Amino acid sequence: MTGQTATDASGPASGPADLDLRLAGLAVAAWLAALAALHLTAAAAGVLAAVAAGFALLAGAHLLGVLGRPAAPARRYGWIAVAVLLGLVCGAAATAARLAVRDAAPIRELVDARAVVSAELVVRNDPRPIRGAAGRPATLLVRADLVRFTPRNGRPVAAPARVLVLATDPAWRGLLPGQRLTAEGRLAAPRGGDLTAAVLTATGPPVPQGPPPWLQRAAGALRAGLQRACEPLPDEQGGLLPGLVVGDTSRLAPAVEEDFRVTGMTHLNAVSGSNVAIIVGAVLLLARWARTGPGVAVVLCGLALIGFVVLVRPEASVLRAATMGAIGLAALAAGRPRAALPALCAAVTVLVLVDPQLARDVGFALSVLATAGLLLLAPGWRDALRRRGVPPGLAEALAVPAAAQVACGPVIAGISGTVSLVAVPANLLVVPAIAPATVLGVTAAVVSPVWPAGAEFAAWLASWPAWWLVIVARYGAALPAGTLPWPSGVTGALLLAGVTVALLLAARRQVLRRLVAVSAAAALLGTLPVRLLASGWPPPAWVVVACAVGQGDALVLPVGAGQAVVVDAGPDPAVVDGCLRRLGVREIPLLVVSHFHADHVAGIAGVFRGRRVAEVLTPQWPEPTYGSFQVGLAARAGSAGVVTPPVGWRWRAGDVELVVVGPPYPLRGTRSDPNNNSLVLAASVAGVRILLSGDAETEEQRAMLEHAPPDAFRADVLKVAHHGSAYQDPEFVAAVHPAVALVSVGVDNGYGHPNPGMLARLSGAGARVLRTDTGGDLAVVRDGRGLAVVARGVGPER
């Protein structure tokens, strides 16, 4: 027994030489051709397919001896070239056919005219809420297939095209895939680069045309049952479990989502091959335990595969995994060994040809790359570790997440503009929890219609491995220097891919491997202390930071080491939490809420997350009601006191002193009563005067001038009211006369903020004006010569 183990451990490592790569060129070429063709017209894509077909015919004729017999090495590589050319032909031709439907003249004419139409549609996926401007109704994004458009006083136009519906009516939320409906709205042009023919902005609720398919109704009932079973659980586990099991992230806490992104664990919320493997593997184990034959086991696994895909919805990564699984089951039924890499390549080729839009789907790319990493890299790394004495189970546990992370790293870096240093250890730590959480979660969903109590018990059991995932993500995200900045976009992805390939090739030679290891260790030892001790943010002697939270407000005043006053919480918990983390804020003696609009309070959970908040200052005006309720709920959950101060109320801690200077009295009947009853604070930080004006508009500004002399509002730094809107009193701005004006505003917001005239007035009065949409986080610092401003730079807001 010992001899056999030693032989396995020291045997030749499986690597690329042992893998069947014959379909790889076909799959990659079809994928790239479809991706390129999506950005072309149907005619241009057809030309690409024709040119590739001509080259394929010439190469094939040459290899078959029609144009002369090539040498043996040329024949070997020639067939690879033919496969690549065939992939280009198939990918470009399939995409050209879809583009011809997308760009059909009757649809294009209606879109160009922005026609108002009645549309008959079939829903493709679950409606998904998208983040919009604060204070506006939530917008739902619904992907659908077109049956026909009927314009007013026009003839119906029918085509099998794709439509993107933007809706605000709550009746759209409960739709299921396969549902046929009628909706009215105005057409607009899509952004391009995919197969969407038109964007329909719905003006009302949908009118169902019959019920959804029974299979989707059953799946919807199971998904709803899983959500009900998770309701008694803590928010973090209860929101994570449906995402982990069926990809439903509707209740996922933004802070948990951010932690998963930072630690490279986002793929766990996108159902993919690992979930399929877990479910099919569990069914296979049960079949073997019941001593069924291979044929029965294959049938049971096939039914489980179909049911799971319907349950989680046919998303890109799920389709890839299911197709690969189906190919594997077919190989098992035929009595042949499973060739995993050809199965993956066949799955990619089939899916891209059936739906060319998958070629641009990030989730699809990550899923395929992760699987390829497991097939190409993990076996060799596992065997190398075993040859060095690492136990077999630990060797595989180390090799699998490392291979997946290396394969997906370039795409993740291109999207996020960062490289995670904690992704591999974090994914390694959560491996033991994924399978039990998935199996127990699916069990809860399946039994929920007939045994709700049993479903809740299964969900409770699943919450424990889910808790472990949350803990690993939380502490991994909190580690200093856990991520390093990297160029974003295609450039960053290609750069990291080149570096990765170079390192993998270098690691195959012992001398180069040692050189790489020494260089990497030197780089870490040289850069990490600098990053830890002198990261450059926050800058020394800062007195106020305006966080880049999008279209909203969140400002921070330093009180002491790890302590700060926070004024407003922005619209997104994860974003404001990220800003406070970068500033090292661990304790908040005072949280000020200027008013209850969502762009100032919706992120309040991110302020409380992992921090002790002693007191919350709120305005007397209690509207909007939901914002007031949200603040009260967060304060109670965090055991923070709530104070509603009058004008003249003072607070002091460390070098920070605050005085409430507005509103002088409740204002009613104004353009916006919540804005015009914003708390306005005069702050002093280390002798620097700062005016924090919330969203106070013209009416409140005039009321303050009438109630107090202009000198009371003089400040060195002005947080410009209401994101730099036009509703400002010139006399009030002149009374403040700031040296620095900070504008908290979101990129491409729909309000036209900031107003150019307002910015010109501030600049003309001598103020240096800075905006979070162009500068990112903004810090005002006090140096020996006066005030300076340091911009952290625009990057991913999270």
Side-chain angles (χ1 to χ4, degrees):
M1 188 61 151
T2 305
Q4 179 65 44
T5 303
T7 302
D8 291 343
S10 59
S14 59
D18 304 315
L19 297 169
D20 188 346
L21 298 172
R22 287 176 294 178
L23 293 179
L26 178 71
V28 173
W31 190 348
L32 294 179
L35 180 61
L38 286 172
H39 297 276
L40 304 174
T41 63
V47 170
L48 174 63
V51 171
F55 279 109
L57 288 174
L58 289 174
H62 183 59
L63 291 170
L64 293 173
V66 177
L67 301 178
R69 175 69 62 179
R75 286 199 303 271
R76 185 167 61 250
Y77 294 108
W79 287 115
I80 297 177
V82 169
V84 170
L85 290 169
L86 288 176
L88 292 175
V89 172
C90 295
T95 310
R98 296 300 189 93
L99 293 175
V101 174
R102 183 196 70 179
D103 298 331
I107 297 179
R108 185 57 49 202
E109 290 173 0
L110 292 175
V111 171
D112 291 342
R114 296 181 58 84
V116 176
V117 300
S118 174
E120 293 184 43
L121 308 169
V122 178
V123 176
R124 290 175 58 87
N125 300 104
D126 292 287
R128 294 183 177 180
I130 57 176
R131 186 181 303 154
R136 294 184 176 180
T139 299
L140 296 171
L141 185 150
V142 186
R143 299 190 182 275
D145 290 324
L146 172 65
V147 178
R148 66 175 57 86
F149 285 143
T150 305
R152 292 178 180 174
N153 304 321
R155 300 180 61 182
V157 174
R162 296 185 181 181
V163 178
L164 186 65
V165 182
L166 301 178
T168 56
D169 194 292
W172 287 87
R173 285 186 178 273
L175 296 177
L176 294 174
Q179 172 73 61
R180 188 162 179 154
L181 57 88
T182 301
E184 292 188 355
R186 184 178 295 276
L187 295 178
R191 64 182 180 181
D194 59 18
L195 297 178
T196 304
V199 176
L200 177 71
T201 302
T203 56
V207 179
Q209 304 295 322
W214 69 269
L215 204 57
Q216 293 293 354
R217 293 202 304 273
L222 294 180
R223 290 167 69 94
L226 176 60
Q227 285 283 11
R228 288 194 300 272
C230 292
E231 284 179 359
L233 302 177
D235 290 343
E236 292 180 329
Q237 295 95 296
L240 173 62
L241 196 57
L244 183 69
V245 175
V246 297
D248 181 0
T249 58
S250 59
R251 285 183 53 207
L252 182 63
V256 176
E257 183 180 8
E258 168 69 4
D259 289 345
F260 271 53
R261 185 193 68 80
V262 172
T263 53
M265 293 165 54
T266 304
H267 62 91
L268 297 178
N269 289 321
V271 178
S272 59
S274 60
N275 303 74
V276 172
I278 289 169
I279 297 304
V280 173
V283 173
L284 187 59
L285 286 176
L286 288 175
R288 288 180 176 176
W289 176 76
R291 298 183 179 180
T292 62
V296 175
V298 167
V299 171
L300 292 175
C301 290
L303 292 175
L305 182 64
I306 294 171
F308 186 67
V309 170
V310 174
L311 174 64
V312 303
R313 309 295 193 230
E315 299 290 348
S317 57
V318 180
L319 286 173
R320 192 277 310 156
T323 304
M324 184 176 175
I327 294 172
L329 289 175
L332 179 62
R336 297 178 180 179
R338 180 178 178 179
L341 188 60
L344 174 63
C345 296
V348 170
T349 305
V350 170
L351 289 173
V352 168
L353 297 184
V354 171
D355 186 2
Q357 188 162 309
L358 291 179
R360 67 181 299 274
D361 187 279
V362 173
F364 181 70
L366 290 175
S367 179
V368 173
L369 289 172
T371 305
L374 300 184
L375 299 177
L376 294 170
L377 302 176
W381 293 0
R382 175 203 60 202
D383 295 344
L385 289 171
R386 293 177 64 185
R387 287 196 301 272
R388 287 162 175 78
V390 179
L394 180 58
E396 187 149 3
L398 289 170
V400 167
Q405 185 62 31
V406 166
C408 296
V411 174
I412 296 173
I415 296 170
S416 64
T418 60
V419 174
S420 176
L421 301 181
V422 299
V424 172
N427 280 277
L428 173 62
L429 288 172
V430 301
V431 165
I434 297 172
T438 302
V439 173
L440 289 168
V442 171
T443 302
V446 171
V447 304
S448 61
V450 295
W451 191 18
E456 289 189 7
F457 179 69
W460 177 79
L461 291 176
S463 70
W464 289 101
W467 169 83
W468 175 244
L469 297 177
V470 171
I471 291 297
V472 170
R474 176 184 301 168
Y475 285 97
L479 288 175
T483 58
L484 298 177
W486 193 265
S488 60
V490 176
T491 302
L494 292 178
L495 177 60
L496 185 57
V499 172
T500 302
V501 171
L503 291 176
L504 291 176
L505 292 176
R508 298 173 67 86
R509 297 182 178 275
Q510 185 174 7
V511 174
L512 292 177
R513 184 165 60 244
R514 290 178 178 176
L515 179 62
V516 168
V518 171
S519 301
L524 287 175
L525 292 174
T527 60
L528 283 184
V530 175
R531 184 171 172 82
L532 290 170
L533 301 177
S535 63
W537 193 262
W542 63 283
V543 294
V544 60
V545 165
C547 297
V549 293
Q551 183 67 10
D553 272 12
L555 293 102
V556 187
L557 310 176
V559 173
Q563 294 185 325
V565 171
V566 177
V567 181
D568 288 327
D572 187 322
V575 178
V576 70
D577 179 39
C579 180
L580 295 176
R581 286 187 189 185
R582 292 190 292 271
L583 295 172
V585 176
R586 300 183 301 274
E587 185 174 348
I588 299 171
L590 182 67
L591 168 63
V592 180
V593 174
S594 67
H595 64 296
F596 295 115
H597 274 156
D599 57 336
H600 292 249
V601 302
I604 193 168
V607 176
F608 275 84
R609 188 170 187 275
R611 302 176 185 88
R612 191 179 76 84
V613 179
E615 201 167 46
V616 180
L617 202 66
T618 63
Q620 295 182 6
W621 196 263
E623 298 176 357
T625 305
Y626 180 73
S628 175
F629 170 78
Q630 198 172 10
V631 171
L633 188 66
R636 287 193 296 273
S639 302
V642 178
V643 176
T644 303
V647 171
W649 183 89
R650 291 179 178 270
W651 183 92
R652 181 168 188 143
D655 289 335
V656 177
E657 184 175 1
L658 300 175
V659 181
V660 176
V661 296
Y665 49 83
L667 283 86
R668 295 180 173 83
T670 66
R671 199 194 73 86
S672 171
D673 287 348
N675 284 350
N676 280 305
N677 285 276
S678 292
L679 283 179
V680 178
L681 303 177
S684 174
V685 181
V688 177
R689 296 167 298 176
I690 305 166
L691 188 68
L692 304 164
S693 54
D695 275 2
E697 295 184 351
T698 307
E699 294 92 335
E700 183 176 359
Q701 292 175 9
R702 288 176 180 168
M704 287 191 292
L705 285 177
E706 294 170 357
H707 187 264
D711 290 347
F713 308 105
R714 181 62 55 88
D716 304 303
V717 180
L718 170 66
K719 197 293 296 185
V720 181
H722 200 188
H723 321 294
S725 77
Y727 302 105
Q728 314 273 348
D729 186 348
E731 294 182 8
F732 181 79
V733 176
V736 179
H737 193 62
V740 176
L742 304 177
V743 184
S744 293
V745 65
V747 178
D748 297 329
N749 65 87
Y751 300 101
H753 296 162
N755 177 261
M758 181 61 195
L759 299 184
R761 184 180 302 122
L762 287 164
S763 299
R768 184 182 178 189
V769 181
L770 295 105
R771 303 160 44 171
T772 58
D773 60 337
T774 57
D777 294 347
L778 304 173
V780 178
V781 301
R782 180 174 51 85
D783 59 21
R785 295 175 296 174
L787 296 180
V789 181
V790 179
R792 184 171 175 270
V794 177
E797 286 185 348
R798 295 180 185 276

